[in-house]
């Protein structure tokens, strides 16, 4: 029985060491693929500047959390499957797509580069800049790019004059411009539902404070 216990303990230690080595080498490989995003370049391509409240709303819809700040995951596994840093991932996708005009990067390579660049962004780029950059460059459906164009197209107003309900609708388009197409009534209902959830969430936050 003691021999079996020792064997199991030794086997567990070996497995743990192998996992740790694999994780270290995988991180080194992923890091070698990262694109070092230039903050100045992001800022040059930023045309809209969201309020703190709008950033919190966008975070709730895109990241599934009200806190818009990035989470720096040590383990690659969590960063790969978590939605918490979705804005960093979207920033990486848009930034890389602008670099790769002819789509020379193969699909699997592109996914690795986007993941590694996402990790670089969470550690090195200000989260507010990423939100502003995304909403300046993202596709809002109906051949509209950027919040400024999307706001004019759907609501006939400057993005600074959007109501929170209207902004929620546009955030959903950033998440999925086909699924949340504003011309469909069910999507307007979904937008209304999320808006009401947000109002309750913000009211609860103010009550706690």
């Amino acid at each position: 029985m003691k021999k079996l216990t020792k064997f199991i303990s030794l086997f567990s230690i070996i497995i743990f060491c192998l996992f740790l080595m694999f994780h270290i080498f995988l991180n080194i490989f992923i890091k070698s693929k990262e694109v070092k995003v230039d903050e100045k370049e992001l800022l040059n391509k930023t045309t809209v500047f969201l309020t703190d409240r709008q950033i919190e709303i966008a975070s709730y819809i895109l990241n599934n959390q009200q806190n818009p700040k990035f989470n720096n995951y040590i383990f690659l596994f969590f960063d790969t499957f978590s939605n918490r840093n979705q804005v960093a991932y979207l920033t990486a996708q848009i930034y890389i797509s602008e670099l790769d005009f002819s789509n020379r990067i193969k699909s699997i390579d592109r996914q690795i580069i986007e993941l590694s660049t996402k990790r670089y962004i969470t550690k090195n780029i200000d989260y507010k800049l990423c939100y502003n950059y995304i909403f300046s460059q993202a596709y809002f459906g109906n051949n509209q790019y950027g919040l400024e164009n999307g706001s004019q197209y759907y609501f006939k107003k400057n993005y600074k004059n959007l109501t929170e309900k209207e902004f929620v609708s546009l955030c959903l388009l950033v998440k999925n411009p086909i699924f949340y197409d504003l011309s469909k009534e069910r999507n307007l209902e979904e937008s209304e539902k999320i808006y009401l959830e947000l109002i309750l969430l913000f009211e609860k936050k103010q009550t706690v404070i």
Side-chain angles (χ1 to χ4, degrees):
M1 189 67 182
K2 287 183 178 180
K3 286 184 178 181
L4 180 61
T5 305
K6 285 182 179 180
F7 174 78
I8 293 172
S9 298
L10 182 60
F11 182 75
S12 300
I13 292 170
I14 292 171
I15 292 296
F16 175 77
C17 291
L18 287 173
F19 171 78
L20 192 61
M21 288 174 64
F22 173 75
H23 182 265
I24 291 170
F25 284 118
L26 184 61
N27 268 281
I28 292 171
F29 171 72
I30 293 294
K31 186 170 177 57
S32 70
K33 297 289 184 178
E34 72 185 18
V35 175
K36 290 179 171 54
V37 177
D38 185 351
E39 274 197 352
K40 289 182 180 179
E41 195 171 341
L42 293 184
L43 191 57
N44 288 337
K45 293 182 178 179
T46 296
T47 57
V48 301
F49 297 91
L50 306 180
T51 64
D52 289 343
R53 174 91 166 192
Q54 286 176 324
I55 287 176
E56 286 187 341
I57 291 171
S59 177
Y60 180 78
I61 293 170
L62 300 176
N63 291 332
N64 297 322
Q65 64 172 2
Q66 193 177 350
N67 183 358
K69 293 182 180 179
F70 297 140
N71 293 317
N72 291 322
Y73 293 111
I74 297 173
F75 292 103
L76 185 63
F77 175 83
F78 294 118
D79 217 359
T80 303
F81 296 102
S82 172
N83 286 328
R84 293 297 178 88
N85 290 330
Q86 188 66 14
V87 167
Y89 185 63
L90 290 173
T91 302
Q93 281 187 316
I94 295 172
Y95 188 83
I96 290 166
S97 68
E98 290 177 343
L99 295 177
D100 183 38
F101 292 110
S102 58
N103 291 315
R104 292 186 301 272
I105 305 174
K106 294 179 181 178
S107 178
I108 186 66
D109 291 335
R110 192 184 196 92
Q111 289 174 12
I112 293 171
I113 292 169
E114 287 173 350
L115 173 60
S116 61
T117 305
K118 166 192 173 183
R119 286 172 68 81
Y120 175 87
I121 289 169
T122 59
K123 293 178 176 68
N124 298 283
I125 306 295
D126 179 65
Y127 73 94
K128 288 185 179 181
L129 175 57
C130 291
Y131 278 87
N132 291 332
Y133 173 74
I134 284 174
F135 277 83
S136 298
Q137 301 293 325
Y139 182 58
F140 285 82
N142 290 294
N143 205 32
Q144 301 301 311
Y145 288 86
L147 179 63
E148 200 164 1
N149 292 328
S151 178
Q152 289 290 346
Y153 181 84
Y154 292 106
F155 300 110
K156 304 293 186 280
K157 62 174 69 172
N158 186 283
Y159 79 92
K160 294 178 181 178
N161 299 323
L162 288 169
T163 65
E164 288 189 348
K165 187 185 294 187
E166 291 167 344
F167 183 69
V168 166
S169 300
L170 293 175
C171 285
L172 290 171
L173 289 177
V174 173
K175 188 172 184 178
N176 191 322
I178 297 174
F179 186 81
Y180 293 107
D181 183 358
L182 294 181
S183 64
K184 297 177 182 177
E185 187 173 343
R186 66 177 176 84
N187 293 337
L188 295 174
E189 292 173 358
E190 178 69 13
S191 176
E192 176 75 18
K193 177 185 173 184
I194 292 174
Y195 170 70
L196 293 174
E197 287 176 1
L198 278 166
I199 292 299
L200 290 173
L201 189 67
F202 283 121
E203 285 179 353
K204 185 177 179 181
K205 180 182 176 182
Q206 288 174 352
T207 302
V208 171
I209 293 172

